[in-house]
Structure formats: C-alpha cells, structure tokens
Amino acid sequence: MVFFSLIRTFALMDDKRYLLGLIREGEHQQQDFKYRVADACKLAKSVSAFANTDGGRLLIGVRDDGHLSGVRSEEEIYMMHQAAYKYCKPEASIKFDTYHVDGRTIVVATVPPSDRKPVCAINEAGEERAYIRIADENIVASPVHLAIWRDQQAENGAMMTYTDTVKKLLSSMASDRPDTQPQPFTLNQIVRRSRISRFKVIHLLARLIRFGIVRCEHRDQQFFFSILQ
C-alpha cells in the first residue's frame, strides 16, 4: 500500500509541476485561461480561434492571474463538450485532460489546427462567426481570411495570374512616394483607392497574401493590408 501511495504522490507532483509550467507561460497565441465555464457559446469562440489559427489549449479552472480555482461542477465539463461539438460548425476536434492539484480539478482542453477552416462559433442567436487567435485575443476573422480558407479548399487555389486588375490593385496600395515604405490600408480604403469591387478586392487580397506578396496585420481593432517589400 505504501508503494502505491508513493506512486500516486509522485503522479500528483508531476501534474502540479506540469500545470504550473504552463501557467508560467501566461496567456498567448496558443494558450488561454478560463476561470469558469458559464456559457458554452463564449467558450466556442476560443475553440474557433485556436482551430482556425495554430491550435492551442484552454486551461479551464485557472484565473487570469494564474491562480488555480478549479472546475466546480459537472455542468462546466458538460458545457466544455457543448462548446466543441454543438456550438462549433463544423465540429472542432478537441481533447480533454483532467488534472487534480491541491484538491482542485483543472481541465486542459487541447484544440489542434483544423483542416476544415473556417470553424465557426455559433452564438445565442444562431449566427455563425469565425475567429482567429492573435496574441492573447480572439478576433473575428475578416472577409479576407474567409476568402483565404475558401481558396485553400478550391482545386485551383494554387493559381496566381498577374492580370490588369491585380496590377491595378497593387498600384492602389503602392506608396505615393517611391522612396517610402508601402503604407498599410484597410479593406475599405483599398476598395475606394482601387475602384475595384469589394468582392474582387477580397478575392485578390486573399490570393496575394497566400503567395507572400501582401501581408495582413491587426492593430487598433482593424485589419490592415500592405505590400511586402
């Protein structure tokens, strides 16, 4: 009995060491803390963001400051499954691992990147929205991200042709002064400057990003697009 008790003690120590190591990393591109699960729809946003980006893990029962609060009820565990399997479309792949540390139950939900993007989170009104993970935030995906994913699924997604329309679009994104770096523009600004239809601009930006000609960055609550030098 003493032997098995020692094994159990070492296992608990390993669990605690592992979790504390994760918590020291803080919240980042591939990790999020959830103090408690009160709403499966809100949790689905994090699942969607991880699935549409680089994958990641949710530490459930951990406060934002890293304190171990623990999962409090079976209802929370039920809502975790609901978030992945009912409130994500298509269903997200997710693995749940349970750890017991200092009398508290912590659940680590690991979400791999999806090969069926976009994975959308369904809100209380039944609306579907896709999210991406940027740093430690879940951001609603732009129309350009949606076009990139559609392009990746299409059979002709690898094609890129420099048509007059592509040249016109790139010209509209070029700096007004040849000796300066290209300026970033929002989607709406590019549509106005290029005088190309919004639908076409979205489609072309998606292609140009995939081929490393244009980059997308998120700041000040907006997505900006600029030509790579």
Side-chain angles (χ1 to χ4, degrees):
M1 293 292 294
V2 174
F3 174 74
F4 289 110
S5 177
L6 286 172
I7 291 176
R8 177 61 179 163
T9 299
F10 284 127
L12 291 173
M13 289 173 60
D14 285 343
D15 283 358
K16 184 173 183 177
R17 188 178 299 114
Y18 172 69
L19 284 174
L20 292 179
L22 294 182
I23 289 168
R24 278 194 293 272
E25 294 179 14
E27 294 182 302
H28 53 71
Q29 180 94 4
Q30 293 181 281
Q31 183 163 282
D32 199 4
F33 298 162
K34 293 293 181 187
Y35 160 48
R36 59 191 297 262
V37 181
D39 188 332
C41 291
K42 290 182 179 178
L43 186 62
K45 294 179 182 179
S46 293
V47 176
S48 166
F50 283 139
N52 289 329
T53 314
D54 300 318
R57 57 182 167 259
L58 289 155
L59 274 60
I60 302 168
V62 177
R63 295 178 183 270
D64 289 344
D65 61 3
H67 175 75
L68 298 176
S69 56
V71 175
R72 300 186 177 188
S73 69
E74 291 294 325
E75 178 68 17
E76 286 192 70
I77 296 175
Y78 171 75
M79 281 192 284
M80 292 178 214
H81 288 81
Q82 290 283 87
Y85 305 128
K86 181 178 178 180
Y87 291 101
C88 280
K89 185 178 178 180
E91 288 184 359
S93 176
I94 189 166
K95 180 170 74 77
F96 296 99
D97 293 299
T98 303
Y99 298 89
H100 302 284
V101 177
D102 296 340
R104 295 175 176 85
T105 298
I106 309 297
V107 175
V108 177
T110 304
V111 183
S114 176
D115 57 3
R116 295 189 296 164
K117 299 181 179 76
V119 172
C120 295
I122 303 172
N123 64 20
E124 295 86 347
E127 300 166 330
E128 299 176 12
R129 286 193 175 89
Y131 291 81
I132 59 172
R133 184 80 173 172
I134 299 177
D136 60 351
E137 293 186 87
N138 302 323
I139 308 293
V140 177
S142 74
V144 176
H145 289 95
L146 299 178
I148 290 172
W149 294 325
R150 284 195 302 268
D151 211 29
Q152 289 171 337
Q153 300 294 328
E155 291 182 1
N156 63 345
M159 296 173 60
M160 182 73 214
T161 306
Y162 279 93
T163 63
D164 289 341
T165 307
V166 171
K167 293 174 183 176
K168 183 180 179 182
L169 176 65
L170 291 174
S171 177
S172 73
M173 296 174 65
S175 174
D176 295 329
R177 291 176 54 190
D179 59 334
T180 60
Q181 292 286 332
Q183 179 181 343
F185 298 100
T186 65
L187 174 60
N188 289 338
Q189 287 172 334
I190 295 171
V191 171
R192 287 195 298 269
R193 287 172 64 91
S194 68
R195 297 184 180 180
I196 302 171
S197 74
R198 182 182 176 86
F199 174 82
K200 192 68 176 177
V201 168
I202 290 170
H203 172 75
L204 292 177
L205 284 175
R207 287 289 175 89
L208 292 167
I209 289 170
R210 289 192 63 212
F211 280 84
I213 299 167
V214 167
R215 70 176 173 185
C216 174
E217 59 182 329
H218 185 266
R219 55 183 171 83
D220 302 326
Q221 305 302 311
Q222 294 187 88
F223 286 101
F224 288 87
F225 305 90
S226 59
I227 300 172
L228 282 165
Q229 289 281 326

